[in-house]
Amino acid sequence: MTRKTNDSGRSRYPGGWQTLGQAAAELRRRVFIDEQHVPEEEEWDGQDPACLHFIAFDAGQPVGTARLLPDGHIGRVAVLAQARGRGIGLALMRKAIEAAQLEGHAEVQLAAQIHALPFYERLGFQAYGQEFLDAGIPHRNMRLPLSC
């Protein structure tokens, strides 16, 4: 079942891949494959059917997405270039964190592109471990303890 909440004209829908996959896939293709040149075979990792997905809409159009894996990792956070800087990514992350809390996870983790570290730090995430390459892009692992 898909839930809807409104926030300043934007809506976020958590749901399954069957319901949200088409919109999520198109957003991820545009951001990761087209813009960031991530190879398709690395983007489509086969984990989507097991994840909870989030889509942000603005003026009725999908502009951002994220997913929560069953183990509490958040990933594939993507916002279209023309929609960045308007709080959409923060709203998606807050919904994903809230969902992880509701599922009883003690923490959430993610692999952040280096340029996005300050974005995730604003949400309370802390980086750990060494920098590594994922799809040729420098990343660091981050985690956020949750109070369930």
Side-chain angles (χ1 to χ4, degrees):
M1 183 169 171
T2 303
R3 298 180 310 230
K4 176 180 176 183
T5 60
N6 283 320
D7 176 59
S8 303
R10 291 188 289 263
S11 300
R12 286 168 300 282
Y13 293 84
W17 187 246
Q18 210 168 9
T19 305
L20 302 179
Q22 185 174 354
E26 176 60 16
L27 290 163
R28 287 167 44 189
R29 181 193 60 75
R30 290 176 63 185
V31 172
F32 297 126
I33 297 169
D34 295 345
E35 181 184 330
Q36 297 182 358
H37 308 292
V38 171
E40 284 194 51
E41 61 274 8
E42 291 186 43
E43 178 58 31
W44 311 119
D45 60 7
Q47 296 187 62
D48 288 311
C51 296
L52 182 61
H53 296 269
F54 304 84
I55 302 287
F57 291 86
D58 190 24
Q61 297 299 309
V63 295
T65 187
R67 73 179 186 184
L68 176 64
L69 285 84
D71 67 358
H73 278 76
I74 297 172
R76 303 306 200 264
V77 180
V79 176
L80 295 178
Q82 67 268 23
R84 293 180 193 146
R86 299 187 351 221
I88 293 167
L90 286 170
L92 283 165
M93 285 298 300
R94 287 184 179 122
K95 286 294 181 183
I97 292 165
E98 178 184 315
Q101 287 176 309
L102 291 172
E103 290 184 5
H105 293 288
E107 69 176 12
V108 287
Q109 295 187 33
L110 53 83
Q113 294 181 8
I114 294 299
H115 73 86
L117 288 174
F119 168 79
Y120 294 111
E121 288 169 344
R122 286 193 319 207
L123 289 159
F125 282 84
Q126 294 184 340
Y128 68 94
Q130 298 297 312
E131 186 175 305
F132 62 93
L133 290 178
D134 185 5
I137 301 169
H139 283 70
R140 288 221 31 222
N141 286 318
M142 300 187 85
R143 73 176 122 220
L144 173 68
L146 301 176
S147 53
C148 296

